[in-house]
Structures are given as structure tokens and as C-alpha cells.
């Protein structure tokens, strides 16, 4: 009787082979998934690093403005206003050039007043509102010259709008394009001065103040205000005032947002007393006259 093979005799081996194949497929699939995860993780880290680098570059580039030539008529970092409220004409300084200090009247007949002020500073406003009106006729008559130095020291004190910087830039724009309007425009920013800590005046309001000051070249000034043309120069000029020395004086540097010099001497009296400041000016004028007056010859003794 011949033997017959049961077809079920090979089943256990086949099952084990199928199990091994299935395990191999699972391991292969898992290895592929692991490789994909590693690639995605590495790619994600790389993309994240590139994104951070891009953000850093954008921040740096946006925070650094290219240096530009300074405004015309401000070669000393200030605007010199003299007889008839006329502004002394100077050429624009090249980018990064050092300022050229203005020269006081050597004869002593004209009082030299220099005012460094921030347009947001309340104390600066107190002084200007108190004294500009009494100074105006003296400047018109040529008895006094006033050199205005707009500085931006309170830039971070205006709820993020950088008003000090924008206002000083606007003043530089007026000096550059329409200097005859500078005296009135400067005064207007202090007459209706915004409060410290607030947003200050908008660029649109600054443009309206320019027109109200009698500027005729308003289109150029408006675009100058809009694009912040002289903000890098304002920052550099403010840094120079804060680091010193202050030209034509014994003052080493600005220590707050207001500095008033009369013939090189700092005024430290009450900011809201016109009479005290007038007395200080008269005293400085007398001191200057005494130091520059020609001495009377002493008669020689008779032999």
C-alpha cells in the first residue's frame, strides 16, 4: 500500500516563513518611517535656523539707516538766526562729516545765545514759551543771535511713535528747504507742545505746522518729513551733543534735554521767569563788552 502525503504536513513551515517575511516588511517600513522623521526633523531645524537668521537680518537692516548728508543751513548742528530773523546760510555737510562750529561776534556787540532742546521735553517748552517772544525783537534788531539745536533725546518717551526724532527731522527739513520759516515753525512746536509720554504730533500735523509757519516750499518739506530724510543726521547730532564737547563754551556735554548758553555760559535760572533770563542776558552782554572794550591809555608821567 503506497503512502500518501498529507497536504497539511507543510503548513507549519510555510507559516513560519510568512511570519518572518511579515516581520521583515514591518522592520523595513519602520526603518523608512524613521529615516523620514529624521529628514523632516533635520529639515525643520534647518528651516527654523534660516528663518531666525532671516528675521535677524531684517531687524538689523531695518534698524540701520544709511548715512545721508546733513541739512543745508545747519553745518554747526544748529540753525543760526540773526538780524531780521534771517537764517545764516551754510552748505550741507557730507555724510559723516564733522560739524563746523559757528563763530560768535568777536566785537561783543551781539549776544550769542545757543539753545539745545528736545521738542517733547516739557522744561524745554517752558523755557521757549517764556522767552522766545522777548527774544524775537532783539534778534530782529541784530542785538542777539539765537542758534537753535534740535535734539532727539526723548525719542523713546512717546508711546512708540519716536516723536522727538520725527519733530527734529521736520525742523531739519524746514531749515534745508525753507529756512525763513524756521523761527516760526520752531516756536509753534513749543507753543502747542504735546505731553511727554504721549504719541506726540502726527506727521500730518507737523506738515500743517510747516504751512502755518509760512513755508512756501511745502511739497519738498512734506516729502522730507514723510520719508524721515534727516533722521540719521538728527541721531548723530544728538549723540554729539550728549558726548560733547559743546563748542564755544566750557560745558563738556549735555546732561539733560535742555541746554541754554549765553555767550558760552549756561543759564541755570528759573525757566519760566522772563525777567531772570533777561537779566542773565544783560549781565553776559556787559561781561562781554568789558572783556572786548579797548582799554583807555594811561597817561605817561611828565618828565
Amino acid at each position: 500500500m503506497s503512502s500518501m502525503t498529507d497536504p497539511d504536513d507543510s503548513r507549519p513551515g510555510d507559516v513560519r516563513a510568512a511570519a518572518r517575511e511579515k516581520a521583515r516588511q514591518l522592520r523595513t517600513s519602520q526603518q523608512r518611517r524613521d529615516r523620514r522623521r529624521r529628514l523632516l526633523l533635520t529639515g525643520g531645524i534647518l528651516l527654523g535656523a534660516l528663518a531666525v537668521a532671516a528675521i535677524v537680518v531684517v531687524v538689523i537692516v531695518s534698524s540701520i539707516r544709511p548715512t545721508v548728508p546733513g541739512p543745508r543751513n545747519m553745518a554747526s548742528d544748529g540753525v543760526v538766526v540773526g538780524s531780521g530773523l534771517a537764517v545764516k546760510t551754510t552748505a550741507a555737510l557730507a555724510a559723516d562729516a564733522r560739524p563746523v562750529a559757528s563763530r560768535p561776534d568777536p566785537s561783543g556787540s551781539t549776544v550769542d545765545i545757543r539753545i539745545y532742546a528736545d521738542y517733547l521735553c516739557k522744561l524745554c517748552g517752558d523755557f521757549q514759551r517764556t522767552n522766545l517772544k522777548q527774544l524775537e525783537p532783539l534778534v530782529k534788531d541784530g542785538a542777539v543771535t539765537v542758534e537753535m539745536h534740535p535734539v532727539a533725546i526723548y525719542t523713546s518717551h512717546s508711546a512708540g511713535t519716536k516723536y522727538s526724532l520725527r519733530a527734529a527731522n521736520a525742523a531739519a527739513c524746514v531749515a534745508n528747504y525753507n529756512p525763513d520759516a524756521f523761527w516760526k515753525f520752531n516756536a509753534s512746536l513749543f507753543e502747542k507742545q504735546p505731553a511727554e509720554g504721549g504719541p506726540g504730533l502726527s506727521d500730518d500735523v507737523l506738515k500743517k505746522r510747516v504751512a502755518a509757519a509760512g513755508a512756501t516750499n511745502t511739497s519738498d518739506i512734506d516729502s522730507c518729513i514723510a520719508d524721515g530724510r534727516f533722521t540719521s543726521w538728527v541721531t548723530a547730532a544728538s549723540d554729539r551733543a550728549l558726548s560733547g564737547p559743546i563748542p564755544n563754551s566750557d560745558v563738556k556735554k549735555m546732561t539733560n534735554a535742555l541746554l541754554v548758553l549765553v555767550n558760552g555760559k549756561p543759564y541755570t535760572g528759573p525757566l519760566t521767569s522772563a525777567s531772570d533770563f533777561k537779566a542773565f542776558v544783560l549781565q553776559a552782554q556787559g561781561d562781554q563788552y568789558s572783556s572786548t572794550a579797548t582799554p583807555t591809555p594811561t597817561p605817561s608821567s611828565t618828565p
Side-chain angles (χ1 to χ4, degrees):
M1 183 176 179
S2 61
S3 63
M4 298 186 62
T5 304
D6 187 346
D8 290 340
D9 289 346
S10 60
R11 188 172 297 171
D14 293 341
V15 170
R16 286 194 295 271
R20 285 195 298 269
E21 178 61 21
K22 184 65 174 178
R24 186 188 66 78
Q25 292 175 356
L26 290 173
R27 286 195 301 270
T28 301
S29 298
Q30 184 62 42
Q31 289 169 353
R32 289 174 179 170
R33 286 195 294 270
D34 290 343
R35 281 197 298 270
R36 283 199 297 269
R37 278 199 297 269
R38 285 196 296 269
L39 288 173
L40 290 173
L41 179 61
T42 303
I45 292 173
L46 179 59
L47 289 174
L50 290 174
V52 171
I55 291 170
V56 170
V57 169
V58 169
V59 170
I60 292 175
V61 170
S62 63
S63 64
I64 299 176
R65 297 179 62 91
T67 54
V68 296
R72 292 192 296 268
N73 310 313
M74 296 188 76
S76 66
D77 282 352
V79 179
V80 181
V81 185
S83 180
L85 297 182
V87 169
K88 180 181 177 181
T89 302
T90 63
L93 291 179
D96 297 326
R98 296 180 63 84
V100 180
S102 59
R103 296 182 179 180
D105 179 7
S107 71
S109 60
T110 303
V111 178
D112 176 65
I113 299 176
R114 300 171 190 235
I115 304 172
Y116 294 73
D118 186 306
Y119 288 113
L120 189 61
C121 159
K122 181 182 182 300
L123 295 179
C124 303
D126 289 342
F127 174 81
Q128 300 250 9
R129 286 187 295 273
T130 300
N131 293 290
L132 283 186
K133 288 183 180 179
Q134 71 171 342
L135 284 176
E136 185 170 317
L138 299 176
V139 177
K140 284 183 177 179
D141 293 342
V144 168
T145 60
V146 174
E147 184 170 340
M148 299 287 190
H149 287 257
V151 294
I153 296 175
Y154 283 5
T155 297
S156 61
H157 295 193
S158 54
T161 71
K162 298 183 179 180
Y163 174 68
S164 291
L165 185 62
R166 292 188 296 105
N169 172 72
C173 294
V174 173
N176 185 81
Y177 290 106
N178 210 147
D180 290 342
F182 182 86
W183 180 273
K184 288 186 177 180
F185 177 70
N186 173 80
S188 74
L189 295 187
F190 289 112
E191 287 168 0
K192 297 180 180 179
Q193 185 184 32
E196 291 181 16
L201 305 179
S202 68
D203 284 354
D204 286 341
V205 173
L206 288 172
K207 294 172 185 177
K208 290 178 181 178
R209 295 281 180 95
V210 169
T216 55
N217 197 3
T218 54
S219 60
D220 286 334
I221 296 174
D222 287 354
S223 64
C224 180
I225 291 173
D227 63 25
R229 193 162 306 165
F230 296 116
T231 53
S232 61
W233 173 85
V234 170
T235 300
S238 301
D239 289 343
R240 285 191 285 268
L242 289 170
S243 59
I246 303 297
N248 302 305
S249 76
D250 295 330
V251 178
K252 293 183 178 180
K253 60 184 179 180
M254 286 190 73
T255 56
N256 52 52
L258 175 66
L259 174 64
V260 180
L261 300 169
V262 179
N263 286 349
K265 298 180 180 179
Y267 175 68
T268 58
L271 300 179
T272 55
S273 173
S275 59
D276 281 348
F277 182 66
K278 182 178 181 180
F280 187 78
V281 171
L282 292 174
Q283 180 183 352
Q285 185 179 34
D287 292 344
Q288 179 73 5
Y289 177 79
S290 298
S291 64
T292 57
T294 303
T296 303
T298 303
S300 57
S301 57
T302 304

